[in-house]
């Protein structure tokens, strides 16, 4: 395995499960020091332990934060500045979904999903973006590849019934990615989004337990199957790597061909 992320310091939100966990594992395997961010320490510690246990020197560190809370995100920034000094890669992956029609939806449910999926990208990109720009060792190899990857969704491209809060938040993430890419280009920081289709994670677990739902998803997917978190993590890692050095403001669909059916 090539070490594309040698000496890179990477922050991954929502890294205690699913796509965030797979991405964290992948970046660490490829040489990055990884900072796992989420609300539940035990979930983060499980992932960090699986990364650190085989190694002589640990590369995974956990930080508990609710990424919808400005104070938590500020503390995360202070922790990274104090502990690492530098940071090169940010993966805004934390997300939440839910199902309700717009007419039945409580305002609190709208806010929960919008804040988790969209406001968090604003808050974390602002704090960690400043640290990436300020980087202490501008000449280092890792500093030559600085990138942010936002995890959006197929639903950000295509409306889905019963998820108006989710679809609209992810469409906004795709657009916010482009605004960030424009703003950060002058600092040579690339910003892209990755839009998964259906991947088998805790987020989709309940739905996929329903055989009819799973079959409907397979029918709508050209590759005729649900994706695995590692298949999304591979594309996130690509977007975060030097291999994508001329790509910014783009959205990469990883949907098994849902959009072409
Ligand atoms: P997941 O539920 O395993 O991962 C989401 C993670 O975000 C969880 O670990 C959760 O604890 C964390 N999180 C939620 N709210 C948070 C908060 N306020 N502060 C800190 N952490 C928080 O689900 P999955 O599928 O791995 O989701 C990862 C991303 O992929 C999400 O942004 C999701 O919207 C997106 N996605 C997933 C798809 C799928 O089929 N699994 C499809 C399209 C997009």
């Amino acid at each position: 395995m090539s070490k594309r992320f040698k000496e890179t310091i990477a922050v991954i939100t929502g890294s205690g499960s699913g796509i965030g966990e797979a991405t964290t594992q992948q970046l660490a395997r490829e040489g990055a020091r990884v900072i796992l961010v989420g609300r539940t320490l035990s979930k983060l510690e499980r992932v960090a332990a699986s990364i650190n246990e085989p190694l002589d020197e640990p590369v995974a560190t956990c930080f508990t934060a609710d990424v919808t809370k400005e104070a938590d995100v500020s503390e995360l920034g202070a922790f990274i500045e104090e502990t690492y000094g530098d940071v090169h890669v940010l993966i805004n992956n934390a997300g939440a979904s839910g199902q309700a029609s717009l007419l039945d939806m409580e305002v609190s449910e709208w806010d929960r999903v919008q804040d988790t999926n969209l406001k968090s990208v604003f808050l974390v990109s602002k704090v960690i973006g400043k640290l990436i720009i300020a980087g202490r060792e501008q000449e280092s190899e890792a500093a030559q590849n600085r990138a942010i990857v936002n995890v959006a969704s197929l639903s950000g491209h295509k409306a889905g019934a019963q998820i108006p809060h989710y679809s609209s938040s992810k469409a906004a993430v795709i657009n916010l990615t482009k605004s960030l890419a424009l703003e950060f280009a002058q600092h040579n920081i690339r910003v892209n989004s990755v839009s998964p289709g259906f991947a088998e994670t805790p987020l989709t677990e309940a739905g996929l337990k329903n055989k009819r739902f799973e079959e409907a998803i397979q029918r709508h997917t050209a590759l005729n199957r649900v994706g695995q978190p590692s298949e999304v993590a591979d594309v996130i890692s690509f977007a975060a790597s030097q291999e994508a050095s001329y790509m910014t403001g783009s959205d990469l669909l990883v949907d098994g061909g849902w959009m072409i059916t």
Side-chain angles (χ1 to χ4, degrees):
M1 172 74 69
S2 68
K3 296 275 182 191
R4 286 187 297 188
F5 296 105
K6 197 166 152 247
E7 287 173 23
T8 294
I9 299 164
V11 183
I12 306 98
T13 69
S15 32
S17 59
I19 292 166
E21 173 177 354
T23 304
T24 307
Q25 302 269 10
Q26 171 91 345
L27 295 179
R29 262 198 308 277
E30 296 195 45
R33 281 191 279 163
V34 286
I35 301 154
L36 288 72
V37 181
R39 290 166 302 182
T40 314
L41 185 59
S42 57
K43 281 172 62 180
L44 302 178
E45 281 179 339
R46 181 186 61 78
V47 179
S50 72
I51 293 170
N52 287 335
E53 261 161 23
L55 303 174
D56 297 332
E57 255 184 62
V59 298
T61 306
C62 305
F63 190 89
T64 317
D66 180 336
V67 291
T68 67
K69 300 214 160 81
E70 190 178 4
D72 282 22
V73 176
S74 294
E75 281 174 29
L76 168 67
F79 167 77
I80 292 173
E81 204 172 3
E82 229 178 86
T83 315
Y84 293 86
D86 261 336
V87 57
H88 311 102
V89 164
L90 164 63
I91 314 291
N92 279 310
N93 162 77
S97 188
Q99 286 212 323
S101 75
L102 188 131
L103 294 179
D104 293 332
M105 193 177 298
E106 300 289 343
V107 173
S108 59
E109 172 63 359
W110 174 269
D111 287 345
R112 181 183 72 83
V113 170
Q114 291 283 338
D115 287 359
T116 309
N117 295 346
L118 178 60
K119 186 179 173 189
S120 69
V121 177
F122 157 63
L123 289 175
V124 181
S125 300
K126 184 174 172 186
V127 168
I128 305 300
K130 279 183 186 164
L131 293 180
I132 299 177
I133 291 167
R136 289 189 194 156
E137 293 191 31
Q138 299 279 351
E139 300 309 315
S140 71
E141 195 184 324
Q144 306 317 305
N145 178 54
R146 297 178 299 165
I148 297 176
V149 183
N150 300 323
V151 181
S153 172
L154 165 71
S155 303
H157 294 269
K158 197 172 182 303
Q162 306 285 315
I163 50 167
H165 48 352
Y166 185 76
S167 305
S168 58
S169 70
K170 292 298 190 178
V173 167
I174 293 166
N175 199 286
L176 177 59
T177 299
K178 297 179 194 305
S179 301
L180 272 175
L182 273 180
E183 187 170 336
F184 284 16
Q186 61 185 306
H187 304 289
N188 199 24
I189 298 167
R190 299 176 301 98
V191 189
N192 294 288
S193 54
V194 169
S195 286
F198 273 87
E200 204 176 334
T201 71
L203 194 79
T204 53
E205 198 176 14
L208 292 174
K209 274 191 182 138
N210 177 339
K211 271 282 146 223
R212 277 180 44 200
F213 180 74
E214 189 180 6
E215 280 162 20
I217 287 175
Q218 285 171 348
R219 258 200 319 280
H220 275 99
T221 309
L223 292 180
N224 199 34
R225 65 176 176 84
V226 171
Q228 291 304 310
S230 63
E231 296 178 288
V232 182
D234 281 340
V235 179
I236 295 173
S237 303
F238 162 72
S241 79
Q242 185 69 25
E243 284 169 32
S245 59
Y246 198 52
M247 187 177 79
T248 196
S250 289
D251 180 75
L252 298 173
L253 264 173
V254 192
D255 67 346
W258 181 290
M259 287 291 270
I260 55 170
T261 60

Tab-separated table of all heavy atoms in Angstrom, residues 149-200:
chain	number	residue	atom	x	y	z
A	149	VAL	N	-12.623	17.600	2.305
A	149	VAL	CA	-13.629	16.811	1.591
A	149	VAL	C	-14.899	16.804	2.428
A	149	VAL	O	-14.873	16.437	3.611
A	149	VAL	CB	-13.156	15.357	1.331
A	149	VAL	CG1	-14.214	14.604	0.516
A	149	VAL	CG2	-11.814	15.326	0.602
A	150	ASN	N	-15.994	17.239	1.823
A	150	ASN	CA	-17.283	17.233	2.501
A	150	ASN	C	-18.103	16.051	2.008
A	150	ASN	O	-18.207	15.837	0.794
A	150	ASN	CB	-18.045	18.539	2.211
A	150	ASN	CG	-17.268	19.748	2.699
A	150	ASN	OD1	-16.624	19.695	3.745
A	150	ASN	ND2	-17.332	20.839	1.955
A	151	VAL	N	-18.690	15.303	2.935
A	151	VAL	CA	-19.514	14.173	2.509
A	151	VAL	C	-20.948	14.680	2.311
A	151	VAL	O	-21.615	15.078	3.270
A	151	VAL	CB	-19.450	13.012	3.519
A	151	VAL	CG1	-20.307	11.848	3.024
A	151	VAL	CG2	-17.994	12.563	3.699
A	152	ALA	N	-21.359	14.727	1.065
A	152	ALA	CA	-22.720	15.174	0.724
A	152	ALA	C	-23.581	13.932	0.538
A	152	ALA	O	-23.531	13.009	1.359
A	152	ALA	CB	-22.672	16.053	-0.526
A	153	SER	N	-24.336	13.860	-0.537
A	153	SER	CA	-25.193	12.689	-0.762
A	153	SER	C	-25.802	12.736	-2.155
A	153	SER	O	-26.017	13.823	-2.714
A	153	SER	CB	-26.337	12.669	0.259
A	153	SER	OG	-27.269	11.661	-0.061
A	154	LEU	N	-26.124	11.558	-2.662
A	154	LEU	CA	-26.957	11.432	-3.852
A	154	LEU	C	-28.219	12.280	-3.668
A	154	LEU	O	-28.702	12.923	-4.608
A	154	LEU	CB	-27.324	9.951	-4.008
A	154	LEU	CG	-28.444	9.563	-4.949
A	154	LEU	CD1	-28.009	9.769	-6.385
A	154	LEU	CD2	-28.836	8.119	-4.714
A	155	SER	N	-28.734	12.305	-2.447
A	155	SER	CA	-29.971	13.066	-2.158
A	155	SER	C	-29.781	14.565	-2.322
A	155	SER	O	-30.763	15.300	-2.382
A	155	SER	CB	-30.450	12.777	-0.736
A	155	SER	OG	-30.652	11.416	-0.552
A	156	GLY	N	-28.541	15.012	-2.379
A	156	GLY	CA	-28.286	16.425	-2.637
A	156	GLY	C	-28.467	16.767	-4.105
A	156	GLY	O	-28.547	17.928	-4.489
A	157	HIS	N	-28.525	15.718	-4.957
A	157	HIS	CA	-28.709	15.907	-6.398
A	157	HIS	C	-30.142	15.642	-6.813
A	157	HIS	O	-30.598	16.099	-7.843
A	157	HIS	CB	-27.812	14.933	-7.177
A	157	HIS	CG	-26.349	15.215	-7.007
A	157	HIS	ND1	-25.657	16.044	-7.840
A	157	HIS	CD2	-25.456	14.785	-6.077
A	157	HIS	CE1	-24.384	16.113	-7.448
A	157	HIS	NE2	-24.246	15.351	-6.375
A	158	LYS	N	-30.808	14.801	-5.997
A	158	LYS	CA	-32.103	14.269	-6.423
A	158	LYS	C	-33.011	14.260	-5.192
A	158	LYS	O	-32.651	13.685	-4.168
A	158	LYS	CB	-31.850	12.812	-6.871
A	158	LYS	CG	-32.910	12.194	-7.700
A	158	LYS	CD	-32.420	10.840	-8.226
A	158	LYS	CE	-33.460	10.197	-9.126
A	158	LYS	NZ	-34.754	9.993	-8.503
A	159	ALA	N	-34.171	14.897	-5.317
A	159	ALA	CA	-35.073	14.962	-4.155
A	159	ALA	C	-35.579	13.572	-3.792
A	159	ALA	O	-35.724	12.715	-4.669
A	159	ALA	CB	-36.250	15.866	-4.483
A	160	GLY	N	-35.791	13.336	-2.513
A	160	GLY	CA	-36.359	12.068	-2.074
A	160	GLY	C	-37.589	12.353	-1.226
A	160	GLY	O	-37.594	13.311	-0.448
A	161	ALA	N	-38.625	11.518	-1.392
A	161	ALA	CA	-39.841	11.716	-0.596
A	161	ALA	C	-39.507	11.529	0.878
A	161	ALA	O	-38.646	10.710	1.218
A	161	ALA	CB	-40.897	10.703	-1.024
A	162	GLN	N	-40.098	12.260	1.733
A	162	GLN	CA	-39.973	12.108	3.186
A	162	GLN	C	-38.619	12.521	3.758
A	162	GLN	O	-38.342	12.273	4.928
A	162	GLN	CB	-40.245	10.646	3.618
A	162	GLN	CG	-41.565	10.077	3.137
A	162	GLN	CD	-42.739	10.629	3.929
A	162	GLN	OE1	-42.695	10.707	5.146
A	162	GLN	NE2	-43.785	11.039	3.245
A	163	ILE	N	-37.779	13.128	2.923
A	163	ILE	CA	-36.501	13.606	3.471
A	163	ILE	C	-36.186	15.036	2.994
A	163	ILE	O	-35.052	15.320	2.596
A	163	ILE	CB	-35.320	12.640	3.136
A	163	ILE	CG1	-35.286	12.303	1.630
A	163	ILE	CG2	-35.344	11.400	3.988
A	163	ILE	CD1	-33.983	11.622	1.183
A	164	PRO	N	-37.173	15.951	3.062
A	164	PRO	CA	-36.894	17.303	2.538
A	164	PRO	C	-35.774	18.012	3.296
A	164	PRO	O	-35.003	18.777	2.699
A	164	PRO	CB	-38.229	18.042	2.719
A	164	PRO	CG	-38.960	17.283	3.770
A	164	PRO	CD	-38.528	15.851	3.612
A	165	HIS	N	-35.684	17.752	4.589
A	165	HIS	CA	-34.625	18.380	5.401
A	165	HIS	C	-33.251	17.820	5.011
A	165	HIS	O	-32.275	18.551	4.868
A	165	HIS	CB	-34.891	18.210	6.889
A	165	HIS	CG	-35.258	16.811	7.345
A	165	HIS	ND1	-35.515	15.759	6.480
A	165	HIS	CD2	-35.391	16.291	8.592
A	165	HIS	CE1	-35.809	14.672	7.174
A	165	HIS	NE2	-35.732	14.977	8.459
A	166	TYR	N	-33.199	16.498	4.806
A	166	TYR	CA	-31.928	15.846	4.459
A	166	TYR	C	-31.476	16.262	3.050
A	166	TYR	O	-30.335	16.712	2.859
A	166	TYR	CB	-32.100	14.324	4.548
A	166	TYR	CG	-30.815	13.558	4.319
A	166	TYR	CD1	-29.835	13.496	5.314
A	166	TYR	CD2	-30.566	12.904	3.107
A	166	TYR	CE1	-28.649	12.798	5.100
A	166	TYR	CE2	-29.390	12.206	2.896
A	166	TYR	CZ	-28.429	12.155	3.897
A	166	TYR	OH	-27.262	11.482	3.690
A	167	SER	N	-32.375	16.126	2.072
A	167	SER	CA	-32.011	16.455	0.676
A	167	SER	C	-31.553	17.898	0.558
A	167	SER	O	-30.542	18.179	-0.096
A	167	SER	CB	-33.204	16.292	-0.272
A	167	SER	OG	-33.739	15.031	-0.183
A	168	SER	N	-32.293	18.807	1.176
A	168	SER	CA	-31.936	20.224	1.012
A	168	SER	C	-30.619	20.529	1.714
A	168	SER	O	-29.816	21.326	1.217
A	168	SER	CB	-33.060	21.137	1.519
A	168	SER	OG	-33.340	20.873	2.879
A	169	SER	N	-30.363	19.879	2.857
A	169	SER	CA	-29.089	20.140	3.552
A	169	SER	C	-27.912	19.640	2.714
A	169	SER	O	-26.867	20.290	2.631
A	169	SER	CB	-29.066	19.475	4.940
A	169	SER	OG	-28.996	18.061	4.828
A	170	LYS	N	-28.086	18.504	2.044
A	170	LYS	CA	-26.980	17.943	1.257
A	170	LYS	C	-26.775	18.725	-0.041
A	170	LYS	O	-25.640	18.877	-0.512
A	170	LYS	CB	-27.225	16.460	0.981
A	170	LYS	CG	-27.158	15.580	2.240
A	170	LYS	CD	-25.781	15.621	2.885
A	170	LYS	CE	-25.619	14.590	3.977
A	170	LYS	NZ	-24.268	14.593	4.571
A	171	ALA	N	-27.871	19.233	-0.639
A	171	ALA	CA	-27.718	20.099	-1.815
A	171	ALA	C	-26.921	21.338	-1.413
A	171	ALA	O	-26.053	21.810	-2.161
A	171	ALA	CB	-29.090	20.489	-2.361
A	172	ALA	N	-27.208	21.843	-0.225
A	172	ALA	CA	-26.480	23.029	0.254
A	172	ALA	C	-25.007	22.696	0.511
A	172	ALA	O	-24.134	23.533	0.252
A	172	ALA	CB	-27.138	23.566	1.522
A	173	VAL	N	-24.722	21.502	0.971
A	173	VAL	CA	-23.316	21.110	1.200
A	173	VAL	C	-22.555	21.107	-0.128
A	173	VAL	O	-21.409	21.573	-0.208
A	173	VAL	CB	-23.224	19.720	1.892
A	173	VAL	CG1	-21.801	19.177	1.843
A	173	VAL	CG2	-23.703	19.818	3.339
A	174	ILE	N	-23.216	20.609	-1.188
A	174	ILE	CA	-22.553	20.573	-2.507
A	174	ILE	C	-22.241	22.001	-2.957
A	174	ILE	O	-21.154	22.301	-3.466
A	174	ILE	CB	-23.439	19.817	-3.530
A	174	ILE	CG1	-23.525	18.331	-3.139
A	174	ILE	CG2	-22.894	19.975	-4.960
A	174	ILE	CD1	-24.622	17.549	-3.841
A	175	ASN	N	-23.171	22.905	-2.712
A	175	ASN	CA	-22.958	24.296	-3.130
A	175	ASN	C	-21.962	25.010	-2.216
A	175	ASN	O	-21.089	25.753	-2.688
A	175	ASN	CB	-24.301	25.036	-3.145
A	175	ASN	CG	-24.209	26.287	-3.982
A	175	ASN	OD1	-23.615	27.264	-3.553
A	175	ASN	ND2	-24.763	26.256	-5.176
A	176	LEU	N	-22.048	24.750	-0.917
A	176	LEU	CA	-21.101	25.355	0.030
A	176	LEU	C	-19.668	24.912	-0.301
A	176	LEU	O	-18.710	25.682	-0.176
A	176	LEU	CB	-21.478	24.950	1.468
A	176	LEU	CG	-20.561	25.414	2.602
A	176	LEU	CD1	-20.455	26.942	2.634
A	176	LEU	CD2	-21.083	24.909	3.948
A	177	THR	N	-19.542	23.668	-0.739
A	177	THR	CA	-18.231	23.145	-1.145
A	177	THR	C	-17.621	24.021	-2.240
A	177	THR	O	-16.431	24.355	-2.203
A	177	THR	CB	-18.389	21.697	-1.664
A	177	THR	OG1	-18.900	20.892	-0.602
A	177	THR	CG2	-17.077	21.123	-2.169
A	178	LYS	N	-18.466	24.416	-3.193
A	178	LYS	CA	-17.962	25.239	-4.312
A	178	LYS	C	-17.556	26.630	-3.814
A	178	LYS	O	-16.531	27.181	-4.239
A	178	LYS	CB	-19.015	25.318	-5.416
A	178	LYS	CG	-19.322	23.952	-6.034
A	178	LYS	CD	-20.382	24.031	-7.102
A	178	LYS	CE	-20.942	22.665	-7.473
A	178	LYS	NZ	-19.980	21.663	-7.877
A	179	SER	N	-18.343	27.207	-2.906
A	179	SER	CA	-17.988	28.525	-2.346
A	179	SER	C	-16.667	28.438	-1.590
A	179	SER	O	-15.800	29.303	-1.722
A	179	SER	CB	-19.066	29.007	-1.369
A	179	SER	OG	-20.300	29.093	-2.005
A	180	LEU	N	-16.533	27.381	-0.799
A	180	LEU	CA	-15.295	27.193	-0.027
A	180	LEU	C	-14.105	26.997	-0.959
A	180	LEU	O	-13.006	27.508	-0.707
A	180	LEU	CB	-15.416	25.958	0.860
A	180	LEU	CG	-16.013	26.147	2.254
A	180	LEU	CD1	-16.162	24.792	2.923
A	180	LEU	CD2	-15.119	27.052	3.079
A	181	ALA	N	-14.330	26.226	-2.037
A	181	ALA	CA	-13.249	25.961	-2.999
A	181	ALA	C	-12.756	27.276	-3.596
A	181	ALA	O	-11.547	27.488	-3.745
A	181	ALA	CB	-13.731	25.015	-4.093
A	182	LEU	N	-13.694	28.177	-3.919
A	182	LEU	CA	-13.306	29.488	-4.473
A	182	LEU	C	-12.511	30.290	-3.448
A	182	LEU	O	-11.490	30.888	-3.766
A	182	LEU	CB	-14.568	30.278	-4.846
A	182	LEU	CG	-15.146	30.062	-6.235
A	182	LEU	CD1	-16.395	30.922	-6.412
A	182	LEU	CD2	-14.113	30.415	-7.304
A	183	GLU	N	-13.004	30.286	-2.203
A	183	GLU	CA	-12.356	31.103	-1.167
A	183	GLU	C	-10.973	30.562	-0.789
A	183	GLU	O	-10.051	31.319	-0.518
A	183	GLU	CB	-13.268	31.159	0.072
A	183	GLU	CG	-12.771	32.106	1.130
A	183	GLU	CD	-13.793	32.349	2.239
A	183	GLU	OE1	-15.014	32.176	2.016
A	183	GLU	OE2	-13.352	32.696	3.349
A	184	PHE	N	-10.840	29.234	-0.777
A	184	PHE	CA	-9.590	28.633	-0.288
A	184	PHE	C	-8.548	28.407	-1.395
A	184	PHE	O	-7.402	28.067	-1.109
A	184	PHE	CB	-9.879	27.300	0.424
A	184	PHE	CG	-10.452	27.463	1.815
A	184	PHE	CD1	-10.989	28.662	2.245
A	184	PHE	CD2	-10.457	26.405	2.715
A	184	PHE	CE1	-11.527	28.818	3.522
A	184	PHE	CE2	-10.976	26.536	3.992
A	184	PHE	CZ	-11.517	27.753	4.398
A	185	ALA	N	-8.954	28.602	-2.656
A	185	ALA	CA	-8.012	28.338	-3.761
A	185	ALA	C	-6.762	29.211	-3.641
A	185	ALA	O	-5.647	28.769	-3.919
A	185	ALA	CB	-8.698	28.556	-5.107
A	186	GLN	N	-6.953	30.454	-3.192
A	186	GLN	CA	-5.801	31.370	-3.070
A	186	GLN	C	-4.769	30.843	-2.055
A	186	GLN	O	-3.611	31.258	-2.071
A	186	GLN	CB	-6.286	32.758	-2.634
A	186	GLN	CG	-6.984	32.746	-1.284
A	186	GLN	CD	-7.571	34.094	-0.909
A	186	GLN	OE1	-6.861	35.075	-0.912
A	186	GLN	NE2	-8.855	34.112	-0.587
A	187	HIS	N	-5.208	29.934	-1.170
A	187	HIS	CA	-4.279	29.337	-0.194
A	187	HIS	C	-3.796	27.960	-0.665
A	187	HIS	O	-3.183	27.222	0.097
A	187	HIS	CB	-4.961	29.192	1.169
A	187	HIS	CG	-5.507	30.485	1.691
A	187	HIS	ND1	-4.689	31.500	2.133
A	187	HIS	CD2	-6.776	30.942	1.816
A	187	HIS	CE1	-5.439	32.529	2.522
A	187	HIS	NE2	-6.708	32.215	2.334
A	188	ASN	N	-4.146	27.603	-1.900
A	188	ASN	CA	-3.804	26.291	-2.455
A	188	ASN	C	-4.404	25.141	-1.640
A	188	ASN	O	-3.773	24.101	-1.449
A	188	ASN	CB	-2.283	26.148	-2.579
A	188	ASN	CG	-1.912	25.050	-3.550
A	188	ASN	OD1	-2.693	24.707	-4.437
A	188	ASN	ND2	-0.737	24.466	-3.359
A	189	ILE	N	-5.605	25.372	-1.153
A	189	ILE	CA	-6.341	24.311	-0.434
A	189	ILE	C	-7.519	23.910	-1.325
A	189	ILE	O	-8.313	24.751	-1.726
A	189	ILE	CB	-6.853	24.820	0.927
A	189	ILE	CG1	-5.671	25.215	1.806
A	189	ILE	CG2	-7.719	23.747	1.618
A	189	ILE	CD1	-6.069	26.021	3.023
A	190	ARG	N	-7.581	22.628	-1.641
A	190	ARG	CA	-8.659	22.133	-2.504
A	190	ARG	C	-9.852	21.729	-1.658
A	190	ARG	O	-9.679	21.202	-0.552
A	190	ARG	CB	-8.172	20.930	-3.317
A	190	ARG	CG	-7.003	21.252	-4.253
A	190	ARG	CD	-6.481	20.028	-4.973
A	190	ARG	NE	-6.029	18.991	-4.057
A	190	ARG	CZ	-6.745	17.944	-3.706
A	190	ARG	NH1	-7.956	17.738	-4.199
A	190	ARG	NH2	-6.270	17.055	-2.852
A	191	VAL	N	-11.054	21.986	-2.181
A	191	VAL	CA	-12.267	21.609	-1.447
A	191	VAL	C	-13.217	20.906	-2.411
A	191	VAL	O	-13.604	21.471	-3.441
A	191	VAL	CB	-12.980	22.841	-0.842
A	191	VAL	CG1	-14.107	22.396	0.098
A	191	VAL	CG2	-11.996	23.736	-0.089
A	192	ASN	N	-13.557	19.669	-2.116
A	192	ASN	CA	-14.455	18.885	-2.966
A	192	ASN	C	-15.485	18.172	-2.104
A	192	ASN	O	-15.315	18.064	-0.878
A	192	ASN	CB	-13.644	17.848	-3.752
A	192	ASN	CG	-12.701	18.504	-4.745
A	192	ASN	OD1	-13.127	19.039	-5.767
A	192	ASN	ND2	-11.403	18.508	-4.434
A	193	SER	N	-16.532	17.689	-2.739
A	193	SER	CA	-17.495	16.869	-1.997
A	193	SER	C	-17.608	15.500	-2.648
A	193	SER	O	-17.320	15.334	-3.841
A	193	SER	CB	-18.869	17.548	-1.924
A	193	SER	OG	-19.342	17.884	-3.211
A	194	VAL	N	-18.016	14.542	-1.831
A	194	VAL	CA	-18.274	13.177	-2.304
A	194	VAL	C	-19.724	12.867	-1.955
A	194	VAL	O	-20.160	13.089	-0.827
A	194	VAL	CB	-17.307	12.176	-1.631
A	194	VAL	CG1	-17.746	10.737	-1.902
A	194	VAL	CG2	-15.881	12.390	-2.141
A	195	SER	N	-20.463	12.382	-2.953
A	195	SER	CA	-21.887	12.093	-2.746
A	195	SER	C	-22.152	10.593	-2.853
A	195	SER	O	-22.266	10.051	-3.961
A	195	SER	CB	-22.726	12.832	-3.794
A	195	SER	OG	-22.790	14.197	-3.494
A	196	PRO	N	-22.260	9.923	-1.700
A	196	PRO	CA	-22.560	8.489	-1.753
A	196	PRO	C	-24.015	8.245	-2.125
A	196	PRO	O	-24.892	9.062	-1.824
A	196	PRO	CB	-22.317	8.013	-0.313
A	196	PRO	CG	-21.690	9.161	0.409
A	196	PRO	CD	-22.060	10.396	-0.334
A	197	GLY	N	-24.246	7.093	-2.763
A	197	GLY	CA	-25.613	6.580	-2.904
A	197	GLY	C	-25.908	5.800	-1.640
A	197	GLY	O	-25.584	6.261	-0.540
A	198	PHE	N	-26.470	4.588	-1.768
A	198	PHE	CA	-26.771	3.816	-0.549
A	198	PHE	C	-25.584	2.968	-0.124
A	198	PHE	O	-25.136	2.096	-0.861
A	198	PHE	CB	-27.984	2.911	-0.766
A	198	PHE	CG	-29.258	3.628	-0.467
A	198	PHE	CD1	-29.884	4.372	-1.452
A	198	PHE	CD2	-29.806	3.608	0.810
A	198	PHE	CE1	-31.040	5.074	-1.177
A	198	PHE	CE2	-30.960	4.305	1.097
A	198	PHE	CZ	-31.587	5.048	0.093
A	199	ALA	N	-25.071	3.232	1.068
A	199	ALA	CA	-24.000	2.404	1.628
A	199	ALA	C	-24.508	1.795	2.930
A	199	ALA	O	-25.327	2.392	3.636
A	199	ALA	CB	-22.760	3.248	1.874
A	200	GLU	N	-24.002	0.605	3.211
A	200	GLU	CA	-24.457	-0.142	4.377
A	200	GLU	C	-23.777	0.388	5.639
A	200	GLU	O	-22.614	0.059	5.900
A	200	GLU	CB	-24.092	-1.616	4.156
A	200	GLU	CG	-24.935	-2.577	4.923
A	200	GLU	CD	-24.573	-4.011	4.561
A	200	GLU	OE1	-24.069	-4.263	3.443
A	200	GLU	OE2	-24.776	-4.865	5.432
